Amino acid sequence: ALGGLAAPFFAVSGGQSTKIDLDKMNNVIAKFLPRLADCVLDVDSVVQEEAMALLLMLAREGFFDEVEDDDMWNQINICAITERSTPRVRRDALYFIMEQLEAFDDGELDEDMQRQKKWSKDKSVSL
């Protein structure tokens, strides 16, 4: 089931199809996101790997932008350091964490740019 759900995302990211509109997947992803996050803790390592790859793809496509569930975030992030995870799951979990950090970095850059513009504007007014 995970492979079928992931297929459109991998087709778009691999450049195989430009006709797929991933935004149409919003309702399905929102409904099953908690279950997908649970799959990273599955006893079957293949399920863990497929789930983590899909979650990483969802993060890159912005499907986690509105998620406020800290327990879900922690459950996925912990896969980066747990010894029960396969190397592939740990790698994808680290990429998942880096996606989160990039979002914070982008926010800080925006704030820095706004402060710099305000400072330049204030300085020009005082001259």
Side-chain angles (χ1 to χ4, degrees), residues 38-67:
D38 288 343
C39 287
V40 299
L41 303 177
D42 197 272
V43 294
D44 186 352
S45 62
V46 174
V47 173
Q48 291 176 12
E49 290 174 355
E50 288 181 9
M52 195 65 240
L54 176 57
L55 291 169
L56 176 59
M57 188 67 61
L58 293 174
R60 288 178 173 161
E61 293 295 331
F63 283 87
F64 276 91
D65 290 350
E66 303 299 321
V67 175

PDB file of all heavy atoms in Angstrom, residues 38-67:
ATOM      1  N   ASP A  38       3.244   6.081  11.927  1.00  0.00           N
ATOM      2  CA  ASP A  38       3.345   4.845  12.710  1.00  0.00           C
ATOM      3  C   ASP A  38       4.117   3.760  11.965  1.00  0.00           C
ATOM      4  O   ASP A  38       4.757   2.909  12.581  1.00  0.00           O
ATOM      5  CB  ASP A  38       1.949   4.307  13.054  1.00  0.00           C
ATOM      6  CG  ASP A  38       1.240   5.142  14.103  1.00  0.00           C
ATOM      7  OD1 ASP A  38       1.920   5.926  14.806  1.00  0.00           O
ATOM      8  OD2 ASP A  38       0.005   5.020  14.211  1.00  0.00           O
ATOM      9  N   CYS A  39       4.074   3.798  10.659  1.00  0.00           N
ATOM     10  CA  CYS A  39       4.750   2.769   9.855  1.00  0.00           C
ATOM     11  C   CYS A  39       6.275   2.815   9.990  1.00  0.00           C
ATOM     12  O   CYS A  39       6.939   1.816   9.738  1.00  0.00           O
ATOM     13  CB  CYS A  39       4.357   2.894   8.384  1.00  0.00           C
ATOM     14  SG  CYS A  39       2.673   2.327   8.048  1.00  0.00           S
ATOM     15  N   VAL A  40       6.828   3.949  10.406  1.00  0.00           N
ATOM     16  CA  VAL A  40       8.286   3.998  10.577  1.00  0.00           C
ATOM     17  C   VAL A  40       8.725   3.178  11.782  1.00  0.00           C
ATOM     18  O   VAL A  40       9.907   2.895  11.944  1.00  0.00           O
ATOM     19  CB  VAL A  40       8.839   5.446  10.679  1.00  0.00           C
ATOM     20  CG1 VAL A  40       8.546   6.232   9.427  1.00  0.00           C
ATOM     21  CG2 VAL A  40       8.332   6.153  11.911  1.00  0.00           C
ATOM     22  N   LEU A  41       7.772   2.777  12.620  1.00  0.00           N
ATOM     23  CA  LEU A  41       8.074   1.959  13.790  1.00  0.00           C
ATOM     24  C   LEU A  41       7.642   0.509  13.595  1.00  0.00           C
ATOM     25  O   LEU A  41       7.672  -0.275  14.543  1.00  0.00           O
ATOM     26  CB  LEU A  41       7.377   2.536  15.027  1.00  0.00           C
ATOM     27  CG  LEU A  41       7.716   3.981  15.372  1.00  0.00           C
ATOM     28  CD1 LEU A  41       6.897   4.447  16.567  1.00  0.00           C
ATOM     29  CD2 LEU A  41       9.197   4.147  15.632  1.00  0.00           C
ATOM     30  N   ASP A  42       7.256   0.159  12.387  1.00  0.00           N
ATOM     31  CA  ASP A  42       6.789  -1.186  12.088  1.00  0.00           C
ATOM     32  C   ASP A  42       7.898  -2.204  12.360  1.00  0.00           C
ATOM     33  O   ASP A  42       9.085  -1.882  12.293  1.00  0.00           O
ATOM     34  CB  ASP A  42       6.357  -1.267  10.621  1.00  0.00           C
ATOM     35  CG  ASP A  42       5.498  -2.469  10.333  1.00  0.00           C
ATOM     36  OD1 ASP A  42       6.058  -3.541  10.029  1.00  0.00           O
ATOM     37  OD2 ASP A  42       4.263  -2.327  10.420  1.00  0.00           O
ATOM     38  N   VAL A  43       7.497  -3.447  12.646  1.00  0.00           N
ATOM     39  CA  VAL A  43       8.491  -4.489  12.910  1.00  0.00           C
ATOM     40  C   VAL A  43       9.217  -4.926  11.642  1.00  0.00           C
ATOM     41  O   VAL A  43      10.345  -5.419  11.705  1.00  0.00           O
ATOM     42  CB  VAL A  43       7.850  -5.727  13.586  1.00  0.00           C
ATOM     43  CG1 VAL A  43       7.341  -5.365  14.961  1.00  0.00           C
ATOM     44  CG2 VAL A  43       6.741  -6.314  12.747  1.00  0.00           C
ATOM     45  N   ASP A  44       8.610  -4.724  10.500  1.00  0.00           N
ATOM     46  CA  ASP A  44       9.208  -5.099   9.214  1.00  0.00           C
ATOM     47  C   ASP A  44      10.071  -3.947   8.703  1.00  0.00           C
ATOM     48  O   ASP A  44       9.582  -2.836   8.478  1.00  0.00           O
ATOM     49  CB  ASP A  44       8.105  -5.432   8.211  1.00  0.00           C
ATOM     50  CG  ASP A  44       8.628  -5.976   6.892  1.00  0.00           C
ATOM     51  OD1 ASP A  44       9.857  -5.968   6.675  1.00  0.00           O
ATOM     52  OD2 ASP A  44       7.795  -6.410   6.078  1.00  0.00           O
ATOM     53  N   SER A  45      11.353  -4.205   8.504  1.00  0.00           N
ATOM     54  CA  SER A  45      12.264  -3.140   8.087  1.00  0.00           C
ATOM     55  C   SER A  45      11.933  -2.600   6.694  1.00  0.00           C
ATOM     56  O   SER A  45      12.176  -1.420   6.411  1.00  0.00           O
ATOM     57  CB  SER A  45      13.715  -3.618   8.140  1.00  0.00           C
ATOM     58  OG  SER A  45      13.908  -4.693   7.253  1.00  0.00           O
ATOM     59  N   VAL A  46      11.361  -3.420   5.829  1.00  0.00           N
ATOM     60  CA  VAL A  46      10.977  -2.950   4.489  1.00  0.00           C
ATOM     61  C   VAL A  46       9.862  -1.906   4.603  1.00  0.00           C
ATOM     62  O   VAL A  46       9.880  -0.882   3.918  1.00  0.00           O
ATOM     63  CB  VAL A  46      10.546  -4.133   3.585  1.00  0.00           C
ATOM     64  CG1 VAL A  46      10.003  -3.639   2.265  1.00  0.00           C
ATOM     65  CG2 VAL A  46      11.702  -5.087   3.374  1.00  0.00           C
ATOM     66  N   VAL A  47       8.904  -2.157   5.503  1.00  0.00           N
ATOM     67  CA  VAL A  47       7.822  -1.192   5.726  1.00  0.00           C
ATOM     68  C   VAL A  47       8.388   0.102   6.283  1.00  0.00           C
ATOM     69  O   VAL A  47       8.009   1.198   5.855  1.00  0.00           O
ATOM     70  CB  VAL A  47       6.744  -1.780   6.667  1.00  0.00           C
ATOM     71  CG1 VAL A  47       5.712  -0.728   7.045  1.00  0.00           C
ATOM     72  CG2 VAL A  47       6.071  -2.987   6.019  1.00  0.00           C
ATOM     73  N   GLN A  48       9.321  -0.002   7.229  1.00  0.00           N
ATOM     74  CA  GLN A  48       9.957   1.188   7.788  1.00  0.00           C
ATOM     75  C   GLN A  48      10.640   2.016   6.698  1.00  0.00           C
ATOM     76  O   GLN A  48      10.487   3.241   6.654  1.00  0.00           O
ATOM     77  CB  GLN A  48      11.015   0.801   8.824  1.00  0.00           C
ATOM     78  CG  GLN A  48      10.497   0.208  10.088  1.00  0.00           C
ATOM     79  CD  GLN A  48      11.641  -0.225  10.994  1.00  0.00           C
ATOM     80  OE1 GLN A  48      12.806   0.113  10.776  1.00  0.00           O
ATOM     81  NE2 GLN A  48      11.312  -0.977  12.036  1.00  0.00           N
ATOM     82  N   GLU A  49      11.382   1.344   5.837  1.00  0.00           N
ATOM     83  CA  GLU A  49      12.120   2.040   4.783  1.00  0.00           C
ATOM     84  C   GLU A  49      11.185   2.726   3.800  1.00  0.00           C
ATOM     85  O   GLU A  49      11.408   3.880   3.420  1.00  0.00           O
ATOM     86  CB  GLU A  49      13.035   1.057   4.061  1.00  0.00           C
ATOM     87  CG  GLU A  49      14.195   0.603   4.907  1.00  0.00           C
ATOM     88  CD  GLU A  49      15.035  -0.485   4.262  1.00  0.00           C
ATOM     89  OE1 GLU A  49      14.672  -0.973   3.167  1.00  0.00           O
ATOM     90  OE2 GLU A  49      16.074  -0.845   4.854  1.00  0.00           O
ATOM     91  N   GLU A  50      10.119   2.026   3.383  1.00  0.00           N
ATOM     92  CA  GLU A  50       9.165   2.625   2.446  1.00  0.00           C
ATOM     93  C   GLU A  50       8.435   3.801   3.079  1.00  0.00           C
ATOM     94  O   GLU A  50       8.225   4.832   2.434  1.00  0.00           O
ATOM     95  CB  GLU A  50       8.171   1.578   1.962  1.00  0.00           C
ATOM     96  CG  GLU A  50       8.762   0.561   1.015  1.00  0.00           C
ATOM     97  CD  GLU A  50       7.737  -0.458   0.531  1.00  0.00           C
ATOM     98  OE1 GLU A  50       6.526  -0.289   0.797  1.00  0.00           O
ATOM     99  OE2 GLU A  50       8.152  -1.434  -0.113  1.00  0.00           O
ATOM    100  N   ALA A  51       8.054   3.643   4.346  1.00  0.00           N
ATOM    101  CA  ALA A  51       7.343   4.716   5.038  1.00  0.00           C
ATOM    102  C   ALA A  51       8.227   5.952   5.208  1.00  0.00           C
ATOM    103  O   ALA A  51       7.792   7.083   4.967  1.00  0.00           O
ATOM    104  CB  ALA A  51       6.851   4.235   6.400  1.00  0.00           C
ATOM    105  N   MET A  52       9.484   5.736   5.581  1.00  0.00           N
ATOM    106  CA  MET A  52      10.384   6.872   5.788  1.00  0.00           C
ATOM    107  C   MET A  52      10.673   7.585   4.471  1.00  0.00           C
ATOM    108  O   MET A  52      10.718   8.820   4.420  1.00  0.00           O
ATOM    109  CB  MET A  52      11.686   6.392   6.440  1.00  0.00           C
ATOM    110  CG  MET A  52      12.538   7.502   7.012  1.00  0.00           C
ATOM    111  SD  MET A  52      11.741   8.351   8.374  1.00  0.00           S
ATOM    112  CE  MET A  52      11.691  10.000   7.715  1.00  0.00           C
ATOM    113  N   ALA A  53      10.835   6.826   3.393  1.00  0.00           N
ATOM    114  CA  ALA A  53      11.063   7.443   2.079  1.00  0.00           C
ATOM    115  C   ALA A  53       9.854   8.273   1.666  1.00  0.00           C
ATOM    116  O   ALA A  53      10.007   9.388   1.141  1.00  0.00           O
ATOM    117  CB  ALA A  53      11.360   6.363   1.038  1.00  0.00           C
ATOM    118  N   LEU A  54       8.653   7.758   1.925  1.00  0.00           N
ATOM    119  CA  LEU A  54       7.437   8.502   1.582  1.00  0.00           C
ATOM    120  C   LEU A  54       7.308   9.751   2.448  1.00  0.00           C
ATOM    121  O   LEU A  54       6.997  10.836   1.943  1.00  0.00           O
ATOM    122  CB  LEU A  54       6.203   7.612   1.735  1.00  0.00           C
ATOM    123  CG  LEU A  54       4.854   8.292   1.506  1.00  0.00           C
ATOM    124  CD1 LEU A  54       4.778   8.930   0.121  1.00  0.00           C
ATOM    125  CD2 LEU A  54       3.720   7.285   1.694  1.00  0.00           C
ATOM    126  N   LEU A  55       7.567   9.638   3.738  1.00  0.00           N
ATOM    127  CA  LEU A  55       7.478  10.801   4.621  1.00  0.00           C
ATOM    128  C   LEU A  55       8.480  11.883   4.228  1.00  0.00           C
ATOM    129  O   LEU A  55       8.174  13.076   4.283  1.00  0.00           O
ATOM    130  CB  LEU A  55       7.669  10.377   6.073  1.00  0.00           C
ATOM    131  CG  LEU A  55       6.523   9.537   6.653  1.00  0.00           C
ATOM    132  CD1 LEU A  55       6.931   8.956   7.997  1.00  0.00           C
ATOM    133  CD2 LEU A  55       5.262  10.352   6.777  1.00  0.00           C
ATOM    134  N   LEU A  56       9.665  11.475   3.833  1.00  0.00           N
ATOM    135  CA  LEU A  56      10.660  12.437   3.373  1.00  0.00           C
ATOM    136  C   LEU A  56      10.160  13.156   2.117  1.00  0.00           C
ATOM    137  O   LEU A  56      10.272  14.380   2.003  1.00  0.00           O
ATOM    138  CB  LEU A  56      11.988  11.741   3.095  1.00  0.00           C
ATOM    139  CG  LEU A  56      13.105  12.603   2.524  1.00  0.00           C
ATOM    140  CD1 LEU A  56      13.438  13.765   3.445  1.00  0.00           C
ATOM    141  CD2 LEU A  56      14.343  11.744   2.267  1.00  0.00           C
ATOM    142  N   MET A  57       9.589  12.397   1.211  1.00  0.00           N
ATOM    143  CA  MET A  57       9.047  13.000  -0.017  1.00  0.00           C
ATOM    144  C   MET A  57       7.902  13.963   0.322  1.00  0.00           C
ATOM    145  O   MET A  57       7.813  15.058  -0.247  1.00  0.00           O
ATOM    146  CB  MET A  57       8.556  11.900  -0.957  1.00  0.00           C
ATOM    147  CG  MET A  57       8.153  12.384  -2.313  1.00  0.00           C
ATOM    148  SD  MET A  57       9.516  13.005  -3.310  1.00  0.00           S
ATOM    149  CE  MET A  57      10.528  11.565  -3.435  1.00  0.00           C
ATOM    150  N   LEU A  58       7.053  13.587   1.256  1.00  0.00           N
ATOM    151  CA  LEU A  58       5.951  14.460   1.679  1.00  0.00           C
ATOM    152  C   LEU A  58       6.480  15.751   2.296  1.00  0.00           C
ATOM    153  O   LEU A  58       5.946  16.832   2.043  1.00  0.00           O
ATOM    154  CB  LEU A  58       5.048  13.734   2.671  1.00  0.00           C
ATOM    155  CG  LEU A  58       4.252  12.555   2.133  1.00  0.00           C
ATOM    156  CD1 LEU A  58       3.512  11.849   3.265  1.00  0.00           C
ATOM    157  CD2 LEU A  58       3.278  12.989   1.050  1.00  0.00           C
ATOM    158  N   ALA A  59       7.537  15.643   3.079  1.00  0.00           N
ATOM    159  CA  ALA A  59       8.132  16.840   3.676  1.00  0.00           C
ATOM    160  C   ALA A  59       8.677  17.760   2.595  1.00  0.00           C
ATOM    161  O   ALA A  59       8.493  18.981   2.642  1.00  0.00           O
ATOM    162  CB  ALA A  59       9.244  16.444   4.655  1.00  0.00           C
ATOM    163  N   ARG A  60       9.331  17.182   1.609  1.00  0.00           N
ATOM    164  CA  ARG A  60       9.902  17.990   0.526  1.00  0.00           C
ATOM    165  C   ARG A  60       8.834  18.648  -0.335  1.00  0.00           C
ATOM    166  O   ARG A  60       9.073  19.697  -0.919  1.00  0.00           O
ATOM    167  CB  ARG A  60      10.820  17.118  -0.330  1.00  0.00           C
ATOM    168  CG  ARG A  60      12.101  16.761   0.384  1.00  0.00           C
ATOM    169  CD  ARG A  60      12.990  15.876  -0.428  1.00  0.00           C
ATOM    170  NE  ARG A  60      14.270  15.702   0.250  1.00  0.00           N
ATOM    171  CZ  ARG A  60      15.108  14.732  -0.011  1.00  0.00           C
ATOM    172  NH1 ARG A  60      14.839  13.838  -0.946  1.00  0.00           N
ATOM    173  NH2 ARG A  60      16.246  14.643   0.650  1.00  0.00           N
ATOM    174  N   GLU A  61       7.674  18.025  -0.398  1.00  0.00           N
ATOM    175  CA  GLU A  61       6.568  18.570  -1.203  1.00  0.00           C
ATOM    176  C   GLU A  61       5.668  19.500  -0.398  1.00  0.00           C
ATOM    177  O   GLU A  61       4.685  20.003  -0.913  1.00  0.00           O
ATOM    178  CB  GLU A  61       5.735  17.432  -1.807  1.00  0.00           C
ATOM    179  CG  GLU A  61       6.476  16.614  -2.840  1.00  0.00           C
ATOM    180  CD  GLU A  61       6.833  17.404  -4.093  1.00  0.00           C
ATOM    181  OE1 GLU A  61       6.104  18.351  -4.445  1.00  0.00           O
ATOM    182  OE2 GLU A  61       7.858  17.069  -4.718  1.00  0.00           O
ATOM    183  N   GLY A  62       5.989  19.724   0.882  1.00  0.00           N
ATOM    184  CA  GLY A  62       5.245  20.679   1.692  1.00  0.00           C
ATOM    185  C   GLY A  62       4.026  20.121   2.404  1.00  0.00           C
ATOM    186  O   GLY A  62       3.229  20.887   2.950  1.00  0.00           O
ATOM    187  N   PHE A  63       3.868  18.820   2.460  1.00  0.00           N
ATOM    188  CA  PHE A  63       2.699  18.239   3.106  1.00  0.00           C
ATOM    189  C   PHE A  63       2.783  18.288   4.632  1.00  0.00           C
ATOM    190  O   PHE A  63       1.810  18.005   5.305  1.00  0.00           O
ATOM    191  CB  PHE A  63       2.480  16.796   2.633  1.00  0.00           C
ATOM    192  CG  PHE A  63       1.880  16.711   1.262  1.00  0.00           C
ATOM    193  CD1 PHE A  63       2.678  16.727   0.136  1.00  0.00           C
ATOM    194  CD2 PHE A  63       0.511  16.629   1.089  1.00  0.00           C
ATOM    195  CE1 PHE A  63       2.140  16.656  -1.136  1.00  0.00           C
ATOM    196  CE2 PHE A  63      -0.051  16.558  -0.169  1.00  0.00           C
ATOM    197  CZ  PHE A  63       0.766  16.573  -1.289  1.00  0.00           C
ATOM    198  N   PHE A  64       3.930  18.642   5.180  1.00  0.00           N
ATOM    199  CA  PHE A  64       4.077  18.766   6.626  1.00  0.00           C
ATOM    200  C   PHE A  64       4.027  20.221   7.086  1.00  0.00           C
ATOM    201  O   PHE A  64       4.180  20.497   8.272  1.00  0.00           O
ATOM    202  CB  PHE A  64       5.406  18.138   7.083  1.00  0.00           C
ATOM    203  CG  PHE A  64       5.345  16.660   7.294  1.00  0.00           C
ATOM    204  CD1 PHE A  64       5.640  15.798   6.258  1.00  0.00           C
ATOM    205  CD2 PHE A  64       4.988  16.132   8.515  1.00  0.00           C
ATOM    206  CE1 PHE A  64       5.596  14.432   6.438  1.00  0.00           C
ATOM    207  CE2 PHE A  64       4.934  14.770   8.713  1.00  0.00           C
ATOM    208  CZ  PHE A  64       5.229  13.913   7.669  1.00  0.00           C
ATOM    209  N   ASP A  65       3.809  21.143   6.177  1.00  0.00           N
ATOM    210  CA  ASP A  65       3.865  22.561   6.523  1.00  0.00           C
ATOM    211  C   ASP A  65       2.863  22.961   7.607  1.00  0.00           C
ATOM    212  O   ASP A  65       3.134  23.848   8.404  1.00  0.00           O
ATOM    213  CB  ASP A  65       3.650  23.429   5.281  1.00  0.00           C
ATOM    214  CG  ASP A  65       4.831  23.356   4.331  1.00  0.00           C
ATOM    215  OD1 ASP A  65       5.876  22.793   4.711  1.00  0.00           O
ATOM    216  OD2 ASP A  65       4.693  23.847   3.188  1.00  0.00           O
ATOM    217  N   GLU A  66       1.718  22.324   7.635  1.00  0.00           N
ATOM    218  CA  GLU A  66       0.666  22.689   8.588  1.00  0.00           C
ATOM    219  C   GLU A  66       0.546  21.704   9.750  1.00  0.00           C
ATOM    220  O   GLU A  66      -0.349  21.844  10.578  1.00  0.00           O
ATOM    221  CB  GLU A  66      -0.674  22.775   7.862  1.00  0.00           C
ATOM    222  CG  GLU A  66      -0.698  23.752   6.689  1.00  0.00           C
ATOM    223  CD  GLU A  66      -0.397  25.183   7.095  1.00  0.00           C
ATOM    224  OE1 GLU A  66      -0.878  25.606   8.174  1.00  0.00           O
ATOM    225  OE2 GLU A  66       0.316  25.877   6.350  1.00  0.00           O
ATOM    226  N   VAL A  67       1.426  20.724   9.838  1.00  0.00           N
ATOM    227  CA  VAL A  67       1.336  19.706  10.886  1.00  0.00           C
ATOM    228  C   VAL A  67       1.883  20.267  12.191  1.00  0.00           C
ATOM    229  O   VAL A  67       3.019  20.737  12.247  1.00  0.00           O
ATOM    230  CB  VAL A  67       2.093  18.421  10.480  1.00  0.00           C
ATOM    231  CG1 VAL A  67       2.102  17.422  11.625  1.00  0.00           C
ATOM    232  CG2 VAL A  67       1.469  17.812   9.237  1.00  0.00           C
TER     233      VAL A  67
END
